[in-house]
Every structure is written in C-alpha cells, then in structure tokens.
C-alpha cells in the first residue's frame, strides 16, 4: 500500500534527464547566496566523496600494479600514467553513478538546501525555466540565461567544514573585492579580543 507521503517522495526522485539542470541550478544558488552547509547537508556529500575516493584510489593502485605486471621493464614515470588514468576514470565514473542517489538524499533533507532543491525540481517539472528565476526563487523574466550551454563535470566546490562536491556550474562565481592585509589584521585582532 502506497501512502500519500510515499507517493510524494517518489515523485521527488530526480529523473536522469533532470539531474544536470538540477545540479547546475542548485549549486548556482549555493554560490550566489553563500549558503553554509548544515550538518545534515554534509552526510550525502561526504558519503559520495568518500566512496568515490576509495574506488578511485583502488583503481589507481590497481593500474600501477598492472602496468608493472604487464610490462616489467616499464620505468617509474611511465608506470604512473595508467595509475593516474585509472584514478581519473574511476573518480568521474563513480561520481556520475552516485549522482541520482545523492540528489535523492538532498531532496529529502529538511534544510534550506533541501527546500531549494525541491523548489528547483518542481519548477523544472512545471516548465518554469530555472534560469529565469532570481536567487530568492521569484520569477524574473528579464534575467538573461547565462548558463544554458552544456557544461561538463569536474568543477569543485569547497565549503567550510571540509565538504566539497564536483559540479557543473555553468556560471562563474561572482567576483568579490579582495581582502586587504589591514582588514585581515583587524579581523584577527577583533577575534583575539573576544577570546
């Protein structure tokens, strides 16, 4: 028996065709709002990153050993080429394979990140162009679509607390004014005075 809550959760599962756009719009929002991940937000990202890392290191080590076994006369720098290739391939393959599960987890979060992910997915399914949404979620028909091209995987977002995720942003982060040394010293002095 399917309950209404189960039906609503199943309808929120992203389809493969929706994943790139959902990812692009969600991480665009994270960058522009400077959203700080909540502790619950870290879990699905950390799990996927750790699984990808373990599989990639295993593939890289296997490539290193296999290169020496197949051709014992191969020199050290050349032996690293298959290892790096295997690592790179496995890293991206495992990330791509895990994407549906990661976004299903993000959609089920009870945090601003989960709320925004659900809102973006709903807008995608309703035919509202996410590129026409301003960062608060309200419609802005005059906003140009600067990220409609297809972008590949591989950009890395690093968040406070050590979480990171490869994303295809499609837009660049807004440039901010560089912090001067005087500002850094003043901030450090203010922090030291509080302690």
């Amino acid at each position: 028996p399917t309950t209404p809550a189960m039906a609503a959760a199943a309808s929120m599962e992203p389809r493969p065709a929706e994943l790139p756009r959902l990812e692009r719009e969600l991480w665009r929002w994270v960058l522009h709002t400077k959203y700080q991940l909540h502790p619950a937000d870290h879990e699905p990202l950390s799990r996927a990153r750790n699984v990808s890392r373990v599989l990639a290191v295993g593939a890289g080590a296997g490539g290193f050993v296999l290169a020496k076994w197949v051709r014992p006369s191969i020199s050290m720098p050349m032996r690293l080429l298959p290892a790096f290739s295997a690592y790179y391939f496995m890293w991206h393959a495992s990330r791509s394979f895990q994407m549906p599960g990661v976004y299903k987890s993000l959609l089920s979060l009870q945090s601003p990140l989960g709320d925004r992910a659900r809102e973006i997915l709903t807008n995608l399914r309703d035919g509202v162009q996410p590129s026409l949404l301003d960062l608060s979620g309200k419609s802005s028909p005059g906003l140009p679509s600067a990220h409609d091209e297809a972008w590949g995987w591989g950009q890395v977002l690093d968040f406070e607390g050590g979480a990171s995720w490869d994303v295809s942003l499609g837009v660049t982060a807004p440039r901010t004014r560089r912090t001067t040394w005087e500002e850094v010293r003043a901030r450090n002095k203010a922090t030291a005075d509080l302690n």
Side-chain angles (χ1 to χ4, degrees):
T2 304
T3 65
M6 291 171 62
S11 71
M12 273 307 187
E13 186 170 337
R15 298 180 196 108
E18 296 168 335
L19 279 175
R21 192 64 185 260
L22 172 62
E23 178 182 32
R24 195 167 43 237
E25 294 297 327
L26 184 61
W27 295 113
R28 176 178 175 248
W29 175 79
V30 167
L31 277 177
H32 286 328
T33 61
K34 296 184 171 123
Y35 175 74
Q36 297 297 312
L37 293 177
H38 293 189
D41 300 337
H42 284 282
E43 185 182 337
L45 299 176
S46 297
R47 184 176 359 123
R49 184 183 61 240
N50 292 340
V51 167
S52 295
R53 189 174 291 149
V54 166
L55 292 174
V57 167
F64 184 79
V65 170
L66 186 64
K68 182 65 176 173
W69 182 71
V70 169
R71 191 163 172 195
S73 64
I74 195 168
S75 64
M76 180 56 179
M78 293 305 292
R79 203 180 323 157
L80 292 176
L81 187 61
F84 283 131
S85 299
Y87 178 91
Y88 182 81
F89 172 77
M90 185 55 74
W91 176 264
H92 288 285
S94 63
R95 294 295 265 219
S96 297
F97 182 75
Q98 294 178 79
M99 290 303 291
V102 168
Y103 279 93
K104 185 176 179 183
S105 296
L106 288 178
L107 287 165
S108 68
L109 290 175
Q110 298 302 320
S111 70
L113 184 66
D115 295 340
R116 185 62 178 174
R118 286 187 293 277
E119 180 183 340
I120 290 170
L121 186 59
T122 302
N123 288 337
L124 277 172
R125 290 182 177 171
D126 291 344
V128 175
Q129 289 293 323
S131 61
L132 299 178
L133 297 175
D134 69 2
L135 298 174
S136 65
K138 298 180 186 79
S139 246
S140 297
L143 190 68
S145 174
H147 59 282
D148 283 336
E149 305 91 22
W151 290 74
W153 308 96
Q155 296 181 12
V156 178
L157 287 178
D158 292 314
F159 300 97
E160 288 183 15
S164 64
W165 188 249
D166 286 356
V167 297
S168 53
L169 296 173
V171 295
T172 57
R175 292 194 174 233
T176 58
R177 186 179 64 79
R178 293 185 65 151
T179 306
T180 65
W181 282 110
E182 290 78 26
E183 292 170 331
V184 171
R185 287 184 192 107
R187 185 177 56 224
N188 290 344
K189 184 176 177 1
T191 304
D193 291 343
L194 291 176
N195 295 331

